[in-house]
Amino acid sequence: MKTSSVTFGSVIAVSGKSKKMDKVNKKLLPYAKTGKVMIKDVTSFYRNASPAGEMAQAAQRGESVDIYITGSDIEKIKKKQYGWRSIRDILGNLEDCFSANPMFVSDVVDKIIKKS
C-alpha cells in the first residue's frame, strides 16, 4: 500500500518596519506563487486591537504585521473549513509570532519556510 507524505501547516505572525516586511514578502513571493505560503496583511486588524499583545503594540507603533500560512493550513482556508473562514479564525490558529526587526531578512524567510 502506498502512503502519501503527511504535510503540516502553520500560521505565523511577523511584525516589523514596513521596508523590512516588504523585503521579506518579496523574498517569499516565489513561494506564494507556487502555493507554499499564503501572505495576509493584518496590520489594520491589530492596529484596532487591545494594546495588550505584541503584534497589536507593533501595529500601533506604525509597524506592519503580516501572517504567513503554510502547508496544509492553506487548503483549510481555501476550502473555508470551520475555524478558517475569517482573519479572526485564522489568527485563532496562530502558532508563532515574532518581530523581524532584530533579524536579517534571510533569517525571517528561513523561519517561515521551515514551518511549512
Side-chain angles (χ1 to χ4, degrees):
M1 172 184 0
K2 184 178 179 182
T3 59
S4 60
S5 61
V6 177
T7 61
F8 297 98
S10 67
V11 180
I12 306 160
V14 182
S15 65
K17 294 179 182 174
S18 294
K19 287 183 180 183
K20 181 167 261 187
M21 295 305 294
D22 289 344
K23 290 177 184 178
V24 168
N25 290 340
K26 187 175 179 180
K27 289 244 183 201
L28 286 171
L29 191 59
Y31 296 96
K33 285 183 177 180
T34 60
K36 293 183 180 183
V37 174
M38 183 180 281
I39 303 168
K40 300 267 186 199
D41 181 350
V42 293
T43 306
S44 61
F45 179 87
Y46 279 111
R47 190 174 292 128
N48 300 318
S50 167
E54 178 184 343
M55 295 295 127
Q57 290 174 5
Q60 291 165 8
R61 283 192 307 266
E63 295 181 7
S64 295
V65 181
D66 291 335
I67 56 172
Y68 301 92
I69 302 103
T70 64
S72 60
D73 289 345
I74 293 172
E75 283 303 310
K76 294 173 186 174
I77 293 168
K78 288 181 180 178
K79 293 179 181 176
K80 298 187 187 245
Q81 291 183 358
Y82 181 77
W84 294 90
R85 295 180 183 151
S86 68
I87 292 295
R88 188 174 300 279
D89 288 345
I90 295 167
L91 290 171
N93 293 293
L94 198 64
E95 286 189 14
D96 194 8
C97 63
F98 62 92
S99 173
N101 290 333
M103 301 173 69
F104 292 112
V105 170
S106 59
D107 292 339
V108 174
V109 171
D110 287 346
K111 191 168 183 174
I112 293 166
I113 296 303
K114 287 181 181 178
K115 292 282 187 171
S116 61

Short mmCIF file of all heavy atoms in Angstrom, two decimals, residues 25 27-39 74 113:
data_model
loop_
_atom_site.label_atom_id
_atom_site.label_comp_id
_atom_site.label_asym_id
_atom_site.label_seq_id
_atom_site.Cartn_x
_atom_site.Cartn_y
_atom_site.Cartn_z
N ASN A 25 8.48 39.91 2.20
CA ASN A 25 7.42 39.46 1.29
C ASN A 25 7.93 39.29 -0.13
O ASN A 25 7.50 38.37 -0.83
CB ASN A 25 6.24 40.43 1.35
CG ASN A 25 5.51 40.35 2.67
OD1 ASN A 25 5.63 39.36 3.40
ND2 ASN A 25 4.79 41.38 3.01
N LYS A 27 10.95 38.32 -0.94
CA LYS A 27 11.70 37.05 -0.95
C LYS A 27 10.76 35.85 -0.90
O LYS A 27 11.10 34.77 -1.40
CB LYS A 27 12.66 36.99 0.25
CG LYS A 27 13.82 37.92 0.13
CD LYS A 27 15.07 37.13 0.05
CE LYS A 27 16.25 38.08 0.01
NZ LYS A 27 17.41 37.46 -0.54
N LEU A 28 9.59 36.02 -0.29
CA LEU A 28 8.63 34.92 -0.18
C LEU A 28 7.70 34.83 -1.40
O LEU A 28 6.95 33.87 -1.51
CB LEU A 28 7.79 35.07 1.09
CG LEU A 28 8.52 34.75 2.38
CD1 LEU A 28 7.69 35.14 3.58
CD2 LEU A 28 8.89 33.27 2.45
N LEU A 29 7.75 35.80 -2.28
CA LEU A 29 6.87 35.82 -3.44
C LEU A 29 6.91 34.54 -4.28
O LEU A 29 5.86 34.02 -4.65
CB LEU A 29 7.15 37.05 -4.30
CG LEU A 29 6.14 37.36 -5.39
CD1 LEU A 29 4.75 37.56 -4.81
CD2 LEU A 29 6.58 38.59 -6.17
N PRO A 30 8.10 33.98 -4.57
CA PRO A 30 8.11 32.72 -5.32
C PRO A 30 7.37 31.58 -4.60
O PRO A 30 6.72 30.76 -5.24
CB PRO A 30 9.60 32.39 -5.46
CG PRO A 30 10.31 33.69 -5.26
CD PRO A 30 9.46 34.49 -4.33
N TYR A 31 7.46 31.55 -3.28
CA TYR A 31 6.75 30.53 -2.50
C TYR A 31 5.25 30.78 -2.53
O TYR A 31 4.46 29.84 -2.56
CB TYR A 31 7.25 30.51 -1.05
CG TYR A 31 8.70 30.12 -0.93
CD1 TYR A 31 9.69 31.09 -0.85
CD2 TYR A 31 9.09 28.79 -0.90
CE1 TYR A 31 11.04 30.75 -0.74
CE2 TYR A 31 10.42 28.43 -0.79
CZ TYR A 31 11.39 29.41 -0.72
OH TYR A 31 12.71 29.05 -0.61
N ALA A 32 4.86 32.05 -2.52
CA ALA A 32 3.44 32.39 -2.59
C ALA A 32 2.87 32.03 -3.96
O ALA A 32 1.75 31.52 -4.05
CB ALA A 32 3.25 33.87 -2.30
N LYS A 33 3.64 32.26 -5.01
CA LYS A 33 3.17 31.96 -6.36
C LYS A 33 2.98 30.45 -6.59
O LYS A 33 2.13 30.05 -7.36
CB LYS A 33 4.14 32.51 -7.40
CG LYS A 33 4.05 34.01 -7.56
CD LYS A 33 4.98 34.52 -8.64
CE LYS A 33 4.82 36.00 -8.84
NZ LYS A 33 5.72 36.52 -9.88
N THR A 34 3.78 29.64 -5.88
CA THR A 34 3.65 28.19 -6.03
C THR A 34 2.70 27.57 -5.01
O THR A 34 2.52 26.37 -4.99
CB THR A 34 5.02 27.50 -5.93
OG1 THR A 34 5.60 27.79 -4.65
CG2 THR A 34 5.96 27.94 -7.04
N GLY A 35 2.11 28.41 -4.15
CA GLY A 35 1.14 27.92 -3.19
C GLY A 35 1.72 27.33 -1.92
O GLY A 35 1.01 26.70 -1.14
N LYS A 36 2.99 27.55 -1.67
CA LYS A 36 3.61 27.02 -0.45
C LYS A 36 3.43 27.94 0.75
O LYS A 36 3.54 27.51 1.88
CB LYS A 36 5.10 26.75 -0.69
CG LYS A 36 5.33 25.63 -1.68
CD LYS A 36 6.79 25.34 -1.85
CE LYS A 36 6.96 24.21 -2.84
NZ LYS A 36 8.36 23.84 -3.00
N VAL A 37 3.18 29.22 0.46
CA VAL A 37 2.97 30.20 1.53
C VAL A 37 1.84 31.13 1.10
O VAL A 37 1.76 31.53 -0.05
CB VAL A 37 4.25 31.05 1.77
CG1 VAL A 37 3.98 32.16 2.78
CG2 VAL A 37 5.39 30.20 2.25
N MET A 38 0.97 31.46 2.05
CA MET A 38 -0.07 32.45 1.82
C MET A 38 0.26 33.62 2.75
O MET A 38 0.55 33.42 3.93
CB MET A 38 -1.45 31.88 2.16
CG MET A 38 -2.59 32.82 1.89
SD MET A 38 -4.20 32.08 2.32
CE MET A 38 -4.47 31.05 0.89
N ILE A 39 0.25 34.83 2.19
CA ILE A 39 0.62 36.02 2.94
C ILE A 39 -0.62 36.91 3.09
O ILE A 39 -1.31 37.19 2.11
CB ILE A 39 1.72 36.81 2.20
CG1 ILE A 39 2.94 35.93 1.96
CG2 ILE A 39 2.08 38.08 2.98
CD1 ILE A 39 3.95 36.53 0.98
N ILE A 74 -3.14 26.10 4.29
CA ILE A 74 -3.58 26.87 3.13
C ILE A 74 -4.85 26.26 2.55
O ILE A 74 -5.80 26.98 2.22
CB ILE A 74 -2.46 26.93 2.06
CG1 ILE A 74 -1.28 27.75 2.59
CG2 ILE A 74 -2.99 27.52 0.75
CD1 ILE A 74 -0.05 27.71 1.72
N ILE A 113 9.65 29.55 6.21
CA ILE A 113 9.69 28.39 5.30
C ILE A 113 9.87 27.09 6.07
O ILE A 113 9.26 26.08 5.74
CB ILE A 113 10.81 28.56 4.25
CG1 ILE A 113 10.51 29.75 3.36
CG2 ILE A 113 10.98 27.30 3.42
CD1 ILE A 113 9.18 29.72 2.65
#
